[in-house]
Amino acid sequence: MRVSYPYKDLLPGIDALAGVMGYKSGTAPEPVTDLIAELSEELLTNGEARAEYTIFNHVRLDKVSRTLGVEGVVFNVKPIVFSQLKHAEGAALFICTAGQEVGMRSRRSMREGDLLRGYVYDVLGSEIAEGAADKMQEALRAAAATTGMSITNRFSPGYCGWDVAEQHKLFSFFPDNYCGITLTDSALMNPVKSVSGIIGVGRNVKYEPYRCRQCDDKNCIYRGRKT
Amino acid sequence: MDLSTGTFYLFLTLVWYPGKQILLLQIVVMTDLLERISTCVEFGKVDIKSPYPPAMKGQEGAFELTRHALDKGVSPGDILEEALIPAMSRVGQKFSRNEIFVPQMLMAAKAMSSSMTHIKPYYLSGETKRRGTFIIGTVRGDLHDIGKNLVSMMIEGAGWEIVDLGVDVSTEKFIEAIEQHPGAVIGLSALLTTTMENMRKSAADLRKKFPDLKILVGGAPVTEEFCRKIGADFYSPDPQGAVEYLKTLS
Ligand code: B1M
């Protein structure tokens, strides 16, 4: 399933974006909020994020090795992710991307010496990629609901103990340049502002708003966030 | 800080030391200028046109004040050591304590770099010396650059010359840069666990070729333990830690 979302549907408000940069509501300095407003406005008219997911109706879950098999490919998802997927009947494998444009703008600004502008573009790019993943997840939830199924949270290689190198296994399901994304040997997606992962589907799976309790990574930005 | 403090100070001096007015006046003006430059950098006041911070609106910024200081005979070295470096150090410390965030660090850097426009010619002429050369790059296979850029900027603010090799840097490129800048310290950045493996390889090869080289490592997934394992000299989770480490070397 392929979906695309205009940037304008993905960017949260200025206060929320300043929050991503660390500021409590209303405390960001004016040049920062001004720049967020200017660049958000500029990007709103400028682009589209893309997301694609493929649903596999059957997955094999091995409780001993805590792995998940999809069409013969075994994902070593590790305990935290496994515990969330263990009741899944099927799974959606997904990738989302904000595209090249926002990253290019960020790098250009940095090269020209305007680090603040480059940084704000960078944060906007991350939020666009995350926003696209949220929307894609919502579309999947709605589609699953029509057949009486629920979905889990989304999980990405590189988070919750799942090795980022498993991106290669994930990408083995996608045709080359799927969604405009390529994967390097070191498991890095290009464009950089991209997110990949898996979502469990089944009658007995549930979305867990407090899954972070199981993880001890205090620095993770998803701590306390709903995804 | 209230920028009127300097003027007030000047007034008191004149009243209390009538016989030595001229000499004292000169010292006070210099101190005042250096303090003002430092404040401008700390709070990101670039030049007279910058509207931020609001309390300094319409006042001269780091750019103009540095020019005045040089014109009044303050040495570029004093501007660096007594105004710019302390300002950036306060910025780094506030960032480490989560009192300010990346954008304010970058605003300070911009003010610093406007001041440096006037200082750079003295580096070129050799009249002012840097504390050393710092070569930095994101390791092979990794395209992340924001963190690396922040670290370079803060280290430059601490008086070091920066050789930024960019992202996806091979060991050969690091070696080449070290050969061109003997005595330089090297910084490796990595943001993915997969590219930490390349960091390990680079660190090992560099150590083999340059046994005395100081290697600094950082990036979100990097840890103290990993640093020790790969034989690097220092791990810092943030730019300020890197600056503090470099201070111990210069
Ligand atoms: C030489 O000395 C030194 C000293 C200090 C040094 C140094 C060198 N270099 C850096 N430092 C230090 O100083 C800097 C200033 O304080 C800091 O630099 P940073 O670069 O760390 O900080 C920047 C200024 C701001 N920080 C950032 O921009 C990164 C923030 C976090 C939250 C993050 C974000 C925002 C994103 N991500 Co993702 N992301 C994470 C990050 C987790 C985290 N808490 O850091 C990290 C980097 N991501 C990770 C992962 C896994 C991923 N991400 C992905 C995607 C994304 C977003 C698109 C959503 C977004 C933007 C990504 C981007 N690269 O632009 C994916 C990869 C994208 C790709 N292109 O391949 C994906 C692979 C997930 C997926 N499967 O989709 C993790 C990598 C660890 C790993 N397991 O390998 C990660 C550490 C999160 C985690 N698990 O905790 C310090 O590290």
Side-chain angles (χ1 to χ4, degrees):
Chain A
M1 170 82 176
R2 175 178 294 192
V3 268
S4 57
Y5 307 104
Y7 284 176
K8 75 173 166 42
D9 294 346
L10 302 174
L11 280 174
I14 295 173
D15 212 42
L17 287 164
V20 175
M21 297 175 190
Y23 296 103
K24 291 206 177 88
S25 180
T27 62
E30 217 175 275
V32 178
T33 49
D34 286 354
L35 200 55
I36 295 176
E38 180 197 328
L39 302 190
S40 305
E41 187 64 35
E42 178 192 310
L43 288 176
L44 290 186
T45 51
N46 245 300
E48 220 173 49
R50 290 166 67 187
E52 302 209 21
Y53 64 83
T54 307
I55 299 179
F56 297 86
N57 290 325
H58 303 288
V59 291
R60 237 184 99 85
L61 287 144
D62 184 329
K63 289 201 170 84
V64 179
S65 60
R66 295 185 172 156
T67 54
L68 175 138
V70 183
E71 293 192 340
V73 175
V74 178
F75 289 101
N76 194 357
V77 292
K78 298 287 163 68
I80 295 175
V81 178
F82 186 83
S83 69
Q84 301 294 304
L85 295 175
K86 65 183 176 209
H87 298 302
E89 293 159 47
L93 304 184
F94 71 88
I95 43 181
C96 301
T97 183
Q100 291 286 9
E101 187 57 31
V102 63
M104 268 159 43
R105 282 172 200 238
S106 168
R107 283 189 297 278
R108 195 184 312 133
S109 301
M110 293 252 170
R111 252 198 326 272
E112 287 166 1
D114 195 341
L115 297 183
L116 181 56
R117 183 171 280 262
Y119 174 73
V120 173
Y121 273 129
D122 186 83
V123 170
L124 295 183
S126 302
E127 286 306 293
I128 289 168
E130 288 287 356
D134 289 345
K135 291 260 186 221
M136 180 267 328
Q137 188 168 347
E138 182 48 33
L140 176 65
R141 194 200 56 74
T146 60
T147 58
M149 299 279 192
S150 301
I151 64 166
T152 63
N153 301 65
R154 61 174 187 266
F155 299 95
S156 296
Y159 280 88
C160 305
W162 186 5
D163 189 349
V164 70
E166 296 234 329
Q167 292 253 79
H168 290 291
K169 292 182 186 169
L170 196 65
F171 272 69
S172 69
F173 287 90
F174 308 138
D176 279 354
N177 215 15
Y178 190 58
C179 219
I181 303 176
T182 53
L183 192 68
T184 66
D185 290 347
S186 49
L188 188 81
M189 289 177 280
N190 199 352
V192 171
K193 299 298 175 191
S194 303
V195 181
S196 67
I198 187 165
I199 295 175
V201 182
R203 273 171 287 259
N204 295 318
V205 299
K206 60 175 192 293
Y207 179 84
E208 169 62 84
Y210 302 110
R211 73 184 155 99
C212 293
R213 274 196 210 141
Q214 298 168 304
C215 178
D216 58 5
D217 184 353
K218 303 269 183 302
N219 295 322
C220 179
I221 40 156
Y222 295 106
R223 236 185 153 71
R225 256 195 188 198
K226 288 192 172 187
T227 51
Chain B
M1 181 191 142
D2 178 4
L3 286 186
S4 59
T5 317
T7 325
F8 179 59
Y9 190 10
L10 184 72
F11 168 74
L12 284 182
T13 313
L14 284 170
V15 173
W16 288 350
Y17 302 98
K20 301 171 188 165
Q21 282 158 353
I22 297 177
L23 177 67
L24 283 167
L25 193 114
Q26 181 78 358
I27 293 169
V28 170
V29 165
M30 282 179 190
T31 316
D32 173 52
L33 265 174
L34 290 175
E35 272 181 20
R36 288 172 65 193
I37 295 170
S38 205
T39 307
C40 285
V41 169
E42 183 176 352
F43 294 98
K45 172 78 176 163
V46 178
D47 55 25
I48 195 162
K49 294 193 297 284
S50 354
Y52 186 82
M56 291 173 153
K57 203 171 171 177
Q59 295 175 19
E60 291 181 317
F63 182 79
E64 293 86 6
L65 294 173
T66 305
R67 186 68 265 157
H68 294 328
L70 289 167
D71 292 346
K72 290 208 158 69
V74 183
S75 78
D78 280 351
I79 299 179
L80 265 172
E81 297 293 333
E82 281 164 43
L84 305 185
I85 295 176
M88 289 308 275
S89 168
R90 289 194 295 276
V91 168
Q93 285 161 12
K94 286 195 272 185
F95 179 74
S96 294
R97 294 195 298 262
N98 283 334
E99 288 168 23
I100 60 167
F101 302 101
V102 172
Q104 282 148 292
M105 211 154 93
L106 297 176
M107 283 153 65
K110 195 169 179 182
M112 159 111 187
S113 105
S114 75
S115 173
M116 290 299 281
T117 332
H118 302 296
I119 311 255
K120 276 196 174 135
Y122 296 90
Y123 280 139
L124 295 174
S125 69
E127 199 174 315
T128 302
K129 294 257 176 296
R130 309 252 194 193
R131 290 197 172 167
T133 302
F134 185 69
I135 300 168
I136 188 166
T138 304
V139 298
R140 177 102 211 154
D142 204 320
L143 302 175
H144 290 91
D145 62 356
I146 299 268
K148 165 191 68 68
N149 293 347
L150 286 176
V151 173
S152 327
M153 179 204 90
M154 292 304 287
I155 292 178
E156 185 173 27
W160 289 66
E161 178 177 5
I162 300 294
V163 178
D164 185 346
L165 301 178
V167 296
D168 192 16
V169 180
S170 63
T171 307
E172 295 68 41
K173 219 168 153 191
F174 280 120
I175 292 176
E176 218 174 275
I178 297 164
E179 281 168 347
Q180 281 165 14
H181 302 275
V185 178
I186 197 126
L188 309 176
S189 179
L191 260 289
L192 289 177
T193 38
T194 41
T195 56
M196 277 165 69
E197 181 49 27
N198 297 342
M199 180 182 264
R200 190 186 62 72
K201 284 189 202 134
S202 284
D205 291 350
L206 291 172
R207 176 65 72 229
K208 212 187 285 163
K209 201 160 169 56
F210 308 99
D212 298 329
L213 177 72
K214 294 290 180 205
I215 306 174
L216 173 63
V217 293
V222 179
T223 60
E224 179 84 56
E225 192 195 344
F226 179 75
C227 164
R228 254 182 282 121
K229 262 195 201 147
I230 66 170
D233 295 283
F234 192 77
Y235 156 73
S236 171
D238 59 23
Q240 189 56 22
V243 167
E244 297 298 334
Y245 172 67
L246 291 181
K247 260 193 214 158
T248 65
L249 303 179
S250 59

